[in-house]
Coordinates of all heavy atoms in Angstrom, one line a residue:
G249 N 19.9 8.6 -0.4 CA 20.2 7.9 -1.6 C 19.7 6.5 -1.7 O 19.1 6.0 -2.6
A250 N 19.9 5.7 -0.6 CA 19.4 4.4 -0.5 C 17.9 4.3 -0.6 O 17.3 3.4 -1.2 CB 19.9 3.7 0.7
S251 N 17.2 5.2 0.1 CA 15.7 5.1 0.2 C 15.2 5.3 -1.3 O 14.3 4.6 -1.7 CB 15.2 6.2 1.1 OG 15.6 6.1 2.4
A252 N 15.7 6.4 -1.9 CA 15.1 6.7 -3.2 C 15.4 5.6 -4.3 O 14.6 5.2 -5.1 CB 15.7 8.0 -3.8
L253 N 16.7 5.1 -4.2 CA 17.1 4.0 -5.2 C 16.4 2.7 -4.9 O 16.1 2.0 -5.8 CB 18.6 3.9 -5.2 CG 19.4 5.1 -5.7 CD1 20.9 4.8 -5.5 CD2 19.2 5.2 -7.2
R254 N 16.2 2.4 -3.6 CA 15.4 1.2 -3.3 C 14.0 1.3 -3.7 O 13.4 0.3 -4.3 CB 15.5 1.0 -1.8 CG 16.5 -0.1 -1.3 CD 16.2 -1.5 -1.8 NE 16.9 -2.5 -1.0 CZ 17.0 -3.7 -1.3 NH1 16.4 -4.2 -2.4 NH2 17.7 -4.6 -0.6
I255 N 13.4 2.4 -3.4 CA 11.9 2.6 -3.8 C 11.7 2.5 -5.3 O 11.0 1.7 -5.9 CB 11.3 3.9 -3.2 CG1 11.3 3.8 -1.7 CG2 9.9 4.1 -3.7 CD1 11.0 5.1 -1.0
A256 N 12.5 3.4 -6.0 CA 12.3 3.5 -7.4 C 12.8 2.2 -8.1 O 12.1 1.7 -9.0 CB 13.2 4.6 -8.0
G257 N 13.9 1.6 -7.6 CA 14.3 0.3 -8.2 C 13.3 -0.8 -8.0 O 13.0 -1.6 -9.0
G258 N 12.7 -0.8 -6.8 CA 11.7 -1.9 -6.6 C 10.5 -1.7 -7.4 O 9.9 -2.7 -7.9
I259 N 10.0 -0.5 -7.6 CA 8.9 -0.2 -8.5 C 9.2 -0.6 -9.9 O 8.5 -1.3 -10.6 CB 8.4 1.2 -8.4 CG1 7.9 1.5 -7.0 CG2 7.3 1.5 -9.4 CD1 7.6 3.0 -6.7
F260 N 10.4 -0.2 -10.4 CA 10.7 -0.4 -11.8 C 10.8 -1.9 -12.1 O 10.2 -2.4 -13.1 CB 12.1 0.2 -12.0 CG 12.6 0.1 -13.5 CD1 12.7 1.2 -14.3 CD2 13.1 -1.1 -14.0 CE1 13.1 1.1 -15.6 CE2 13.5 -1.3 -15.3 CZ 13.6 -0.2 -16.1
T261 N 11.5 -2.6 -11.3 CA 11.8 -4.0 -11.6 C 10.5 -4.8 -11.6 O 10.3 -5.7 -12.4 CB 12.8 -4.6 -10.6 OG1 13.1 -6.0 -11.0 CG2 12.3 -4.7 -9.2
K262 N 9.6 -4.5 -10.7 CA 8.4 -5.3 -10.6 C 7.4 -4.9 -11.7 O 6.6 -5.8 -12.1 CB 7.8 -5.3 -9.2 CG 8.7 -5.9 -8.2 CD 9.0 -7.3 -8.6 CE 10.4 -7.6 -9.0 NZ 10.8 -8.9 -9.3
I263 N 7.4 -3.7 -12.2 CA 6.5 -3.3 -13.3 C 7.0 -4.2 -14.5 O 6.2 -4.8 -15.2 CB 6.6 -1.8 -13.7 CG1 6.0 -1.0 -12.6 CG2 6.0 -1.5 -15.0 CD1 6.2 0.5 -12.8
A264 N 8.3 -4.2 -14.7 CA 8.8 -4.9 -15.9 C 8.6 -6.5 -15.7 O 8.3 -7.1 -16.7 CB 10.3 -4.6 -16.0
D265 N 8.8 -6.9 -14.5 CA 8.7 -8.4 -14.3 C 7.3 -8.9 -14.5 O 7.0 -9.9 -15.2 CB 9.2 -8.7 -12.9 CG 9.6 -10.2 -12.7 OD1 9.4 -10.9 -13.6 OD2 10.1 -10.5 -11.6

Side-chain angles (χ1 to χ4, degrees):
S251 299
L253 291 172
R254 258 299 195 187
I255 295 168
I259 295 171
F260 182 107
T261 184
K262 294 305 109 180
I263 291 174
D265 200 355

